[in-house]
Amino acid sequence: MPAGNSPVVDPTSNNIRCNVGGATGIANKCGLKAGDQVTIEMHQQIGDRSCTNEGIGGAHWGPVMVYLSKVDDASTADGSAGWFKIYEDSWAKAPSGDGSSDWWGTKDLNFCCGKLSFDIPTGIPSGDYLLRAEALALHAAGAPPPNGAQFYMSCYQLTITGGSGSLPPTVNFPGAYGNSDPGIFINIYQSLSTYIAPGPTVIPGGATKSPNVLTWSGNCAATSTVLGGSNPTSATRTTTAASTTRTTTTAAGSTTRTTTTAAATTRTTTTLSTTTRTTTTTTTTTGTSNGCTSSVYGQCGGIGYTGCTNCASGSKCSVLNPYYSQCVPS
């Protein structure tokens, strides 16, 4: 489990593998078959899995990506082995507005109760794997590290059966991302003509999704899924509620994991809390101070912002860039 819910801000550190403290595994592994559906689940607030709230709030726009790493023993693996990408929900151009108005993977999470689903590729060998789920927040990515792009990730321990084929080419963390990569060092408040998520392309048999969820959908699966590879085909996934069989919950600032089973499909649901760490700069704050308050780590100002500028008790409004101010503990 991550030691806290602050982001990783240096993609060249070992923490980019499996978050702070992620080099230490646990005894349990989640067993599933190649081709089974996995649902990643991410929420902004600790312990809040309600579908009435945004999954990733606070304008944390960016791609959602998933990697696998073949390891000898998932319970002791530290993330230093090679990784390949099996899923990506990245960016799509909106009809109007700047890049912050475009559609992003994290916006899909907001409208889907924090959940996106995909299948484990069938063309990979059976064995133990680490699964690395990552949400990349770009709301401050126009500034260089350590206060630029924010990485939220967790690694989960799997034993996959029923697979076949050989391992695809891999990348290493750190190494796969650089501070100056165009998908990491970027001002999303400009008008974007394209966006390329960092890291390798999705392997053949994986899935890439163009973000397109426009209204609140509750517990919804990924739509318009395209299989990776040179000859993609279209497919639609369906996610249904399942009974919970095991839940492990840690204290505030940590991650909740739930393994669920429905019909003949094994699904792994993982919850990753997301808050931010900021450095104060100087700019103009807009919004309203009509008595409403933003929660800790909620937005409290920025160009074009029209929400509350007061912060909840025990926090203050800190300006991150001209477009984004955030309530942080005082």
Side-chain angles (χ1 to χ4, degrees):
M1 299 288 188
N5 60 5
S6 295
V8 173
V9 295
D10 183 3
T12 66
S13 75
N14 285 344
N15 291 332
I16 199 67
R17 294 172 178 169
C18 296
N19 216 318
V20 177
T24 303
I26 59 174
N28 293 334
K29 304 174 189 178
C30 179
L32 69 163
K33 295 179 180 179
D36 278 351
Q37 188 178 82
V38 170
T39 298
I40 58 172
E41 181 176 354
M42 305 183 186
H43 293 276
Q44 180 179 358
Q45 301 298 331
I46 300 297
D48 178 14
R49 301 178 68 188
S50 171
C51 291
T52 61
N53 300 322
E54 289 184 325
I56 305 294
H60 283 48
W61 310 140
V64 177
M65 299 171 283
V66 178
Y67 294 80
L68 283 178
S69 176
K70 181 74 167 62
V71 296
D72 293 331
D73 184 353
S75 66
T76 59
D78 63 0
S80 60
W83 297 86
F84 54 93
K85 189 183 289 185
I86 65 168
Y87 177 73
E88 182 178 284
D89 184 357
S90 183
W91 170 88
K93 182 69 176 177
S96 62
D98 59 24
S100 65
S101 300
D102 291 342
W103 296 312
W104 296 93
T106 53
K107 288 190 178 182
D108 280 358
L109 286 173
N110 281 349
F111 291 119
C112 298
C113 196
K115 301 177 183 180
L116 288 175
S117 300
F118 54 91
D119 292 348
I120 295 294
T122 57
I124 59 174
S126 299
D128 275 17
Y129 287 83
L130 293 182
L131 184 149
R132 178 182 178 274
E134 172 188 355
L136 172 54
L138 300 173
H139 58 291
N147 298 305
Q150 300 178 353
F151 304 85
Y152 300 91
M153 78 294 295
S154 289
C155 291
Y156 306 95
Q157 300 168 174
L158 310 179
T159 297
I160 298 175
T161 59
S164 62
S166 58
L167 285 175
T170 61
V171 297
N172 291 321
F173 286 104
Y177 298 169
N179 287 325
S180 59
D181 288 356
I184 292 175
F185 186 22
I186 182 174
N187 174 15
I188 66 168
Y189 302 100
Q190 62 182 316
S191 179
L192 301 178
S193 59
T194 186
Y195 174 80
I196 304 298
T201 58
V202 172
I203 67 166
T208 58
K209 179 184 180 297
S210 179
N212 64 348
V213 184
L214 306 180
T215 59
W216 180 258
S217 302
N219 178 13
C220 68
T223 57
S224 299
T225 301
V226 178
L227 299 183
S230 58
N231 296 302
T233 57
S234 296
T236 301
R237 313 297 184 202
T238 301
T239 299
T240 57
S243 58
T244 298
T245 57
R246 179 176 61 83
T247 303
T248 303
T249 305
T250 62
S254 64
T255 299
T256 301
R257 269 190 253 189
T258 304
T259 301
T260 59
T261 302
T265 300
T266 300
R267 302 179 184 181
T268 302
T269 300
T270 61
T271 301
L272 171 63
S273 58
T274 62
T275 50
T276 60
R277 187 166 45 200
T278 62
T279 298
T280 301
T281 58
T282 301
T283 191
T284 301
T285 297
T286 59
T288 176
S289 57
N290 60 359
C292 64
T293 59
S294 293
S295 61
V296 179
Y297 300 114
Q299 188 172 3
C300 56
I303 295 174
Y305 175 71
T306 59
C308 304
T309 58
N310 294 322
C311 290
S313 177
S315 64
K316 62 182 180 180
C317 190
S318 179
V319 180
L320 191 59
N321 60 44
Y323 301 91
Y324 194 89
S325 300
Q326 185 174 54
C327 293
V328 297
S330 56

